[in-house]
Short mmCIF file of all heavy atoms in Angstrom, two decimals:
data_model
loop_
_atom_site.label_atom_id
_atom_site.label_comp_id
_atom_site.label_asym_id
_atom_site.label_seq_id
_atom_site.Cartn_x
_atom_site.Cartn_y
_atom_site.Cartn_z
N GLN A 140 217.97 68.72 72.54
CA GLN A 140 216.78 69.49 72.89
C GLN A 140 215.88 68.72 73.85
O GLN A 140 215.03 69.31 74.53
CB GLN A 140 215.99 69.86 71.62
CG GLN A 140 216.81 70.46 70.50
CD GLN A 140 217.57 71.69 70.93
OE1 GLN A 140 217.06 72.53 71.67
NE2 GLN A 140 218.82 71.79 70.49
N PHE A 141 216.04 67.40 73.90
CA PHE A 141 215.15 66.55 74.70
C PHE A 141 215.93 65.77 75.76
O PHE A 141 215.46 64.75 76.26
CB PHE A 141 214.39 65.59 73.79
CG PHE A 141 213.62 66.28 72.71
CD1 PHE A 141 214.17 66.44 71.44
CD2 PHE A 141 212.35 66.80 72.95
CE1 PHE A 141 213.47 67.09 70.44
CE2 PHE A 141 211.64 67.45 71.96
CZ PHE A 141 212.21 67.60 70.70
N THR A 142 217.12 66.26 76.07
CA THR A 142 217.97 65.61 77.05
C THR A 142 217.87 66.30 78.40
O THR A 142 217.93 67.53 78.49
CB THR A 142 219.44 65.61 76.58
OG1 THR A 142 219.53 64.93 75.33
CG2 THR A 142 220.34 64.93 77.59
N ASP A 143 217.70 65.51 79.45
CA ASP A 143 217.64 66.03 80.81
C ASP A 143 219.06 66.14 81.36
O ASP A 143 219.73 65.11 81.54
CB ASP A 143 216.80 65.10 81.68
CG ASP A 143 216.66 65.60 83.11
OD1 ASP A 143 217.22 66.67 83.43
OD2 ASP A 143 215.98 64.93 83.91
N PRO A 144 219.55 67.35 81.62
CA PRO A 144 220.94 67.49 82.09
C PRO A 144 221.19 66.85 83.45
O PRO A 144 222.33 66.63 83.83
CB PRO A 144 221.14 69.01 82.15
CG PRO A 144 219.76 69.58 82.22
CD PRO A 144 218.87 68.64 81.47
N ALA A 145 220.11 66.54 84.17
CA ALA A 145 220.28 65.93 85.48
C ALA A 145 220.54 64.43 85.39
O ALA A 145 220.91 63.80 86.38
CB ALA A 145 219.04 66.18 86.34
N ALA A 146 220.34 63.85 84.21
CA ALA A 146 220.56 62.41 84.01
C ALA A 146 221.77 62.21 83.11
O ALA A 146 222.26 63.16 82.49
CB ALA A 146 219.31 61.78 83.39
N PRO A 147 222.29 60.96 83.04
CA PRO A 147 223.46 60.70 82.18
C PRO A 147 223.18 61.11 80.73
O PRO A 147 222.31 60.53 80.07
CB PRO A 147 223.66 59.19 82.32
CG PRO A 147 223.04 58.84 83.63
CD PRO A 147 221.89 59.76 83.79
N VAL A 148 223.93 62.08 80.24
CA VAL A 148 223.65 62.64 78.92
C VAL A 148 223.94 61.65 77.79
O VAL A 148 223.15 61.51 76.85
CB VAL A 148 224.46 63.95 78.72
CG1 VAL A 148 224.30 64.47 77.30
CG2 VAL A 148 224.01 65.00 79.73
N LEU A 149 225.08 60.95 77.88
CA LEU A 149 225.43 60.02 76.81
C LEU A 149 224.40 58.91 76.68
O LEU A 149 223.96 58.58 75.58
CB LEU A 149 226.82 59.43 77.08
CG LEU A 149 227.29 58.38 76.05
CD1 LEU A 149 227.35 58.98 74.66
CD2 LEU A 149 228.66 57.82 76.46
N ALA A 150 224.00 58.34 77.81
CA ALA A 150 223.01 57.25 77.77
C ALA A 150 221.69 57.74 77.21
O ALA A 150 221.04 57.05 76.41
CB ALA A 150 222.81 56.68 79.18
N GLN A 151 221.28 58.95 77.61
CA GLN A 151 220.04 59.51 77.08
C GLN A 151 220.13 59.73 75.58
O GLN A 151 219.20 59.43 74.83
CB GLN A 151 219.73 60.85 77.75
CG GLN A 151 219.21 60.77 79.16
CD GLN A 151 218.86 62.16 79.67
OE1 GLN A 151 217.75 62.63 79.49
NE2 GLN A 151 219.83 62.80 80.28
N SER A 152 221.25 60.27 75.14
CA SER A 152 221.42 60.57 73.72
C SER A 152 221.36 59.30 72.87
O SER A 152 220.70 59.27 71.82
CB SER A 152 222.76 61.29 73.51
OG SER A 152 222.93 61.63 72.15
N VAL A 153 222.02 58.24 73.34
CA VAL A 153 222.00 56.97 72.61
C VAL A 153 220.58 56.41 72.57
O VAL A 153 220.11 55.95 71.53
CB VAL A 153 222.97 55.97 73.25
CG1 VAL A 153 222.79 54.58 72.65
CG2 VAL A 153 224.41 56.44 73.07
N ALA A 154 219.89 56.46 73.71
CA ALA A 154 218.53 55.92 73.78
C ALA A 154 217.58 56.70 72.89
O ALA A 154 216.76 56.12 72.17
CB ALA A 154 218.04 55.92 75.22
N LEU A 155 217.67 58.04 72.94
CA LEU A 155 216.81 58.86 72.10
C LEU A 155 217.09 58.62 70.62
O LEU A 155 216.16 58.57 69.80
CB LEU A 155 217.00 60.34 72.44
CG LEU A 155 216.47 60.80 73.80
CD1 LEU A 155 216.90 62.24 74.07
CD2 LEU A 155 214.96 60.69 73.86
N GLY A 156 218.36 58.49 70.27
CA GLY A 156 218.70 58.21 68.88
C GLY A 156 218.12 56.89 68.41
O GLY A 156 217.59 56.79 67.31
N ALA A 157 218.19 55.86 69.27
CA ALA A 157 217.64 54.55 68.91
C ALA A 157 216.13 54.63 68.74
O ALA A 157 215.56 54.01 67.83
CB ALA A 157 218.01 53.53 69.99
N VAL A 158 215.45 55.38 69.61
CA VAL A 158 214.00 55.54 69.49
C VAL A 158 213.64 56.25 68.19
O VAL A 158 212.70 55.85 67.49
CB VAL A 158 213.44 56.30 70.71
CG1 VAL A 158 211.97 56.66 70.49
CG2 VAL A 158 213.58 55.46 71.97
N PHE A 159 214.39 57.30 67.86
CA PHE A 159 214.11 58.02 66.61
C PHE A 159 214.29 57.09 65.41
O PHE A 159 213.46 57.09 64.48
CB PHE A 159 215.04 59.23 66.48
CG PHE A 159 214.77 60.05 65.25
CD1 PHE A 159 213.92 61.15 65.32
CD2 PHE A 159 215.35 59.73 64.02
CE1 PHE A 159 213.65 61.91 64.18
CE2 PHE A 159 215.08 60.47 62.89
CZ PHE A 159 214.24 61.57 62.96
N VAL A 160 215.35 56.31 65.39
CA VAL A 160 215.61 55.39 64.28
C VAL A 160 214.48 54.36 64.17
O VAL A 160 214.04 54.01 63.06
CB VAL A 160 216.97 54.70 64.45
CG1 VAL A 160 217.14 53.55 63.46
CG2 VAL A 160 218.10 55.71 64.27
N LEU A 161 213.98 53.88 65.31
CA LEU A 161 212.89 52.91 65.30
C LEU A 161 211.61 53.53 64.72
O LEU A 161 210.92 52.90 63.91
CB LEU A 161 212.64 52.40 66.72
CG LEU A 161 211.48 51.40 66.88
CD1 LEU A 161 211.75 50.14 66.07
CD2 LEU A 161 211.28 51.05 68.36
N ILE A 162 211.33 54.76 65.13
CA ILE A 162 210.15 55.45 64.59
C ILE A 162 210.30 55.65 63.08
O ILE A 162 209.36 55.42 62.31
CB ILE A 162 209.95 56.80 65.30
CG1 ILE A 162 209.54 56.56 66.76
CG2 ILE A 162 208.90 57.64 64.59
CD1 ILE A 162 209.47 57.83 67.59
N ALA A 163 211.49 56.08 62.65
CA ALA A 163 211.73 56.30 61.23
C ALA A 163 211.61 54.99 60.44
O ALA A 163 211.09 54.98 59.32
CB ALA A 163 213.11 56.92 61.01
N ALA A 164 212.06 53.88 61.02
CA ALA A 164 211.94 52.59 60.34
C ALA A 164 210.48 52.21 60.15
O ALA A 164 210.10 51.64 59.11
CB ALA A 164 212.68 51.51 61.13
N CYS A 165 209.66 52.53 61.14
CA CYS A 165 208.22 52.23 61.02
C CYS A 165 207.56 53.07 59.93
O CYS A 165 206.79 52.55 59.11
CB CYS A 165 207.53 52.47 62.36
SG CYS A 165 207.99 51.28 63.66
#
Side-chain angles (χ1 to χ4, degrees):
Q140 311 304 319
F141 304 95
T142 301
D143 182 359
V148 174
L149 178 59
Q151 285 184 88
S152 182
V153 171
L155 290 172
V158 171
F159 183 93
V160 169
L161 178 61
I162 292 173
C165 291

